[in-house]
């Protein structure tokens, strides 16, 4: 190996393979397609930057409806490993969502604090409906209960990485979800 070259991918344990992710996304997409069949052109997917970008780009191709997409940048303050629930919008939606059927697309719900903030914030903008789709959920870490209308997988209390999820901004481009062994 050349000096400065890092091993890639690092030795993460696989939690969900590329194939498992593909299968689950196809199921979620079919469920969402069925549920939003009658909303016409008014379905808006809102991706929460940056973790949901890979999930959202694959998921939207399994939804056979004329949807639109927007993104919201969120910074959550905490001690580095734990979110405090104090959330700042770093980049807001590009368009109003009043009267639209909004589906928030998240990478992972951990304590639930970010999702809770998002629900409260987006509700004030008077969407016709507001639901949550999250790829992952860590039920053991819940501090605030938030509805998850569409869930990919529940995961144990390990730090997970890949397929959009990062460690210090790295490894979002892994095509599987892995975890760091304690
Ligand atoms: P919450 O507010 O505690 O629910 O935190 C949600 C955010 O924390 C997610 O959108 C992720 O960006 C980040 N996060 C929580 N757990 C993990 C993890 O295991 N891997 C990577 N990011 C995580």
């Amino acid at each position: 190996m050349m000096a400065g070259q890092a091993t890639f991918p690092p030795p993460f344990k696989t939690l969900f393979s590329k194939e498992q992710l593909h299968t689950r996304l196809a199921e979620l997409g079919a469920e969402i397609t069925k549920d939003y069949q009658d909303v016409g052109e008014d379905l808006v997917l809102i991706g929460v930057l940056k973790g949901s970008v890979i999930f959202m780009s694959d998921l939207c191709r399994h939804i056979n409806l004329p949807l639109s997409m927007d993104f919201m940048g969120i910074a959550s303050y905490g001690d580095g490993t734990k979110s405090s629930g104090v959330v700042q919008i770093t980049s807001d939606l590009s368009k109003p969502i009043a009267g639209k059927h909004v589906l928030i697309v998240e990478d992972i719900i951990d304590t639930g604090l970010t999702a809770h903030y998002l629900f409260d914030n987006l509700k004030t903008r008077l969407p016709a409906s507001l639901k949550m789709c999250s790829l992952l959920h860590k039920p053991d870490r819940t501090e605030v209960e938030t509805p998850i209308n569409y869930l990919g997988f529940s995961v144990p209390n390990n730090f997970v990485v890949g397929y959009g999820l990062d460690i210090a901004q790295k490894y979002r481009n892994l095509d599987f979800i892995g975890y760091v062994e304690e």
Side-chain angles (χ1 to χ4, degrees):
M1 195 195 302
M2 280 164 59
Q5 205 176 5
T7 309
F8 193 88
F12 297 131
K13 295 271 173 198
T14 301
L15 195 55
F16 303 111
S17 67
K18 184 179 170 180
E19 291 72 27
Q20 284 172 300
L21 289 167
H22 183 270
T23 302
R24 187 68 191 119
L25 261 66
E27 290 169 356
L28 285 176
E31 207 183 323
I32 293 166
T33 303
K34 186 166 142 278
D35 292 355
Y36 286 91
Q37 204 68 250
D38 300 324
V39 307
E41 310 258 314
D42 284 338
L43 173 60
V44 185
L45 303 186
I46 295 184
V48 185
L49 297 171
K50 303 170 195 161
S52 74
V53 165
I54 311 275
F55 173 44
M56 181 146 136
S57 66
D58 281 348
L59 178 70
C60 71
R61 284 174 277 183
H62 290 288
I63 304 174
N64 298 315
L65 295 171
L67 55 82
S68 58
M69 291 185 235
D70 210 340
F71 294 92
M72 203 154 166
I74 293 283
S76 140
Y77 294 102
D79 62 9
T81 55
K82 192 174 176 306
S83 143
S84 64
V86 180
V87 170
Q88 189 196 4
I89 296 175
T90 54
S91 164
D92 207 347
L93 299 177
S94 64
K95 285 203 167 159
I97 52 166
K100 302 287 185 187
H101 291 272
V102 171
L103 183 59
I104 307 170
V105 180
E106 261 284 26
D107 53 354
I108 184 163
I109 311 258
D110 185 25
T111 61
L113 290 164
T114 307
H116 186 257
Y117 171 85
L118 271 174
F119 262 109
D120 277 0
N121 182 288
L122 295 180
K123 237 189 292 172
T124 65
R125 307 183 195 200
L126 306 179
S129 69
L130 183 59
K131 286 190 185 178
M132 169 66 75
C133 174
S134 183
L135 178 60
L136 305 175
H137 179 216
K138 282 185 191 165
D140 293 349
R141 299 253 309 161
T142 303
E143 287 181 26
V144 189
E145 293 282 352
T146 52
I148 308 174
N149 307 91
Y150 305 95
L151 175 64
F153 303 97
S154 288
V155 294
N157 196 5
N158 293 79
F159 200 81
V160 293
V161 65
Y163 200 70
L165 294 130
D166 70 306
I167 297 180
Q169 299 301 324
K170 297 253 167 34
Y171 310 120
R172 294 192 198 274
N173 57 326
L174 299 180
D175 63 4
F176 63 95
I177 292 181
Y179 67 95
V180 185
E181 259 185 321
E182 299 298 320

